[in-house]
Amino acid sequence: MLYEKVKQAAERARKKNPGANDFYIPIEDFIEFVTFHLIATIKMRNTMSSTKMSMSQYLQQDETYLNLYKKKVKDEEEEYREFHNTLRNAINRYNTLNHKTAIEADKRKSNEAKAGSRGTRFENTITIHDFQAKSEMPMLMDVKETKGPLNTVYQRILKNNSHNINFTNYKLFTEYLNEEIQKQELTDDEKYLHQYMIEKNLKLHALKEICKCYEEILEATSHLSQEQFVVNDRQARLQLMLYATNMPMLQQWQPYIKVVNDLPFYNFDLFIQEIDSVTNFIKCILLEYCNEHEDIVFDESDMEHFRKYIDPKRFQNDYGVRKGFSSSTFNIVMEEIKRGNEQATESSF
């Protein structure tokens, strides 16, 4: 039911966007992702029903979403820029920084109120986006209160000190979260969804793929390691691999990461444009669906697509230190992540 409606919306979006035919990603993957995204939104956020949500409920989850869908005539570049930022937030559930900021903002607001101020500076705290489940944050707060490698990794993630996290502890932290999810009183679908979102935010398997590919670059250029153009090319390719994880479609991260090693340097900009265009095309499909339907309803046949999409086997790999890359390569990748986060923070002010 839902899958077929999304498929029709995707076909309409493709006719309006001929460039979508040139994507490395087949149209079927877009249909699968949008179906998954809509079902996940209903299952984890709609308290009234587990199989249905009105379009207004869906849109009102994010005011920016609502404005984008209402305003049909808008400058394409501006629309894309706003949507790109919104979509990445709207489908990102596992954001511990948001949780930390919201708690601290509430405390400051309360203190201002007690001091005689109305505390208006802190009325609009950052919220935790999409697919949030009550079992998640208590679990992370338990990590925060403990001592040891789990707490160390957690604190360094929060403080953007990723360059000080080694692979063993990062893997341990991710596996701990996945193991704790299995202990929760959740359905199998919800547990798989949690695993999917843990990977989406911590990116363990994507990082392993990046490390493996970057290790291959290092080996292939080892005889030219001192040449500046080689150093620049390596960093540029690493940045492209990390940029691929900006796509909402987690299932496509690793295929795109693998493309980078053989990418001619003159296609670097085209690679970035395609990653951005993927996000924009997802917006087009959602917009087409919104224009044709007043609600989102799914049945058991749609759930089969949902379960297939979130199956952890589709994004896992068995790479690791010595098996696919060195610990020093992992450190280089984490340092690049830290540098990228710092640049993103600077540009937001």
Side-chain angles (χ1 to χ4, degrees):
M1 183 192 305
L2 177 62
Y3 179 86
E4 291 302 320
K5 291 179 179 178
V6 171
K7 183 176 181 180
Q8 294 166 6
E11 288 300 327
R12 291 193 299 271
R14 183 160 64 168
K15 289 179 181 178
K16 295 180 179 179
N17 299 270
N21 295 316
D22 299 326
F23 284 141
Y24 179 75
I25 301 175
I27 190 68
E28 176 67 23
D29 286 33
F30 286 96
I31 299 169
E32 282 189 354
F33 172 77
V34 174
T35 302
F36 150 76
H37 171 60
L38 294 175
I39 293 176
T41 301
I42 295 174
K43 289 182 72 67
M44 301 301 279
R45 295 198 63 167
N46 183 19
T47 58
M48 301 300 294
S49 168
S50 61
T51 61
K52 182 176 181 180
M53 177 184 282
S54 70
M55 187 55 67
S56 61
Q57 283 178 305
Y58 173 77
L59 298 179
Q60 286 170 1
Q61 293 176 49
D62 193 301
E63 189 63 29
T64 310
Y65 251 134
L66 189 62
N67 292 337
L68 282 174
Y69 280 109
K70 281 184 175 180
K71 193 169 184 179
K72 303 297 170 57
V73 181
K74 193 169 187 177
D75 175 75
E76 185 176 345
E77 183 177 351
E78 179 188 355
E79 181 179 3
Y80 164 71
R81 187 165 55 250
E82 288 190 28
F83 176 79
H84 181 68
N85 293 331
T86 301
L87 183 60
R88 283 201 297 171
N89 286 334
I91 66 174
N92 182 353
R93 175 192 64 84
Y94 211 88
N95 194 327
T96 57
L97 283 173
N98 281 351
H99 177 79
K100 183 171 183 281
T101 304
I103 293 299
E104 292 178 350
D106 282 340
K107 289 180 180 178
R108 290 194 297 267
K109 178 181 175 182
S110 176
N111 291 338
E112 276 198 357
K114 290 178 181 178
S117 169
R118 297 169 66 182
T120 53
R121 281 180 58 202
F122 305 106
E123 280 185 352
N124 298 317
T125 61
I126 298 176
T127 57
I128 301 171
H129 294 287
D130 234 358
F131 314 152
Q132 182 63 52
K134 63 182 181 180
S135 60
E136 171 200 329
M137 283 306 155
M139 181 177 70
L140 281 175
M141 294 306 101
D142 288 343
V143 172
K144 186 176 180 181
E145 297 303 320
T146 62
K147 293 183 179 180
L150 294 178
N151 178 273
T152 300
V153 173
Y154 176 74
Q155 294 294 342
R156 288 176 179 174
I157 289 173
L158 290 180
K159 297 175 182 178
N160 191 32
N161 288 327
S162 55
H163 64 302
N164 287 325
I165 304 175
N166 64 44
F167 175 76
T168 299
N169 287 343
Y170 197 77
K171 182 172 179 284
L172 180 69
F173 181 74
T174 306
E175 289 178 345
Y176 167 80
L177 295 180
N178 280 313
E179 289 167 2
E180 288 299 303
I181 285 298
Q182 299 305 315
K183 299 176 184 178
Q184 306 298 320
E185 293 183 1
L186 302 169
T187 66
D188 288 343
D189 292 340
E190 290 169 338
K191 289 178 180 180
Y192 270 15
L193 182 57
H194 276 283
Q195 285 184 265
Y196 179 95
M197 298 308 294
I198 289 171
E199 172 62 18
K200 180 167 179 56
N201 288 274
L202 294 180
K203 306 179 181 180
L204 174 65
H205 295 284
L207 288 176
K208 290 195 291 181
E209 187 69 52
I210 290 172
C211 288
K212 176 181 177 293
C213 291
Y214 191 70
E215 184 94 355
E216 292 173 356
I217 293 174
L218 292 175
E219 292 175 356
T221 59
S222 60
H223 62 295
L224 298 170
S225 59
Q226 302 303 316
E227 299 290 341
Q228 189 59 45
F229 78 91
V230 173
V231 174
N232 293 341
D233 183 78
R234 285 174 178 171
Q235 184 175 21
R237 291 182 189 275
L238 176 54
Q239 290 170 346
L240 290 180
M241 286 187 267
L242 290 169
Y243 195 78
T245 64
N246 285 343
M247 284 192 301
M249 303 168 72
L250 182 157
Q251 305 288 15
Q252 291 298 331
W253 287 356
Q254 293 191 43
Y256 268 89
I257 289 168
K258 292 177 181 178
V259 168
V260 173
N261 277 19
D262 299 321
L263 197 68
F265 73 90
Y266 52 81
N267 280 344
F268 284 7
D269 286 343
L270 292 177
F271 181 87
I272 293 173
Q273 289 173 22
E274 172 147 347
I275 298 299
D276 292 345
S277 296
V278 164
T279 305
N280 200 31
F281 187 59
I282 292 170
K283 188 269 308 192
C284 294
I285 297 174
L286 290 170
L287 179 58
E288 288 295 327
Y289 186 97
C290 173
N291 289 338
E292 291 289 325
H293 306 286
E294 294 183 356
D295 53 24
I296 305 166
V297 183
F298 66 89
D299 58 23
E300 185 56 33
S301 65
D302 299 314
M303 283 303 300
E304 292 179 8
H305 291 287
F306 175 86
R307 293 178 185 121
K308 177 184 175 183
Y309 194 85
I310 62 173
D311 184 349
K313 294 177 183 177
R314 293 190 64 185
F315 57 76
Q316 292 175 344
N317 60 55
D318 61 355
Y319 303 133
V321 172
R322 291 185 297 277
K323 192 171 184 178
F325 52 87
S326 66
S327 58
S328 61
T329 295
F330 182 79
N331 292 339
I332 292 171
V333 172
M334 298 303 275
E335 286 174 1
E336 188 60 41
I337 290 174
K338 173 182 171 62
R339 183 161 42 246
N341 288 341
E342 289 174 344
Q343 291 174 350
T345 301
E346 290 172 1
S347 64
S348 66
F349 289 108

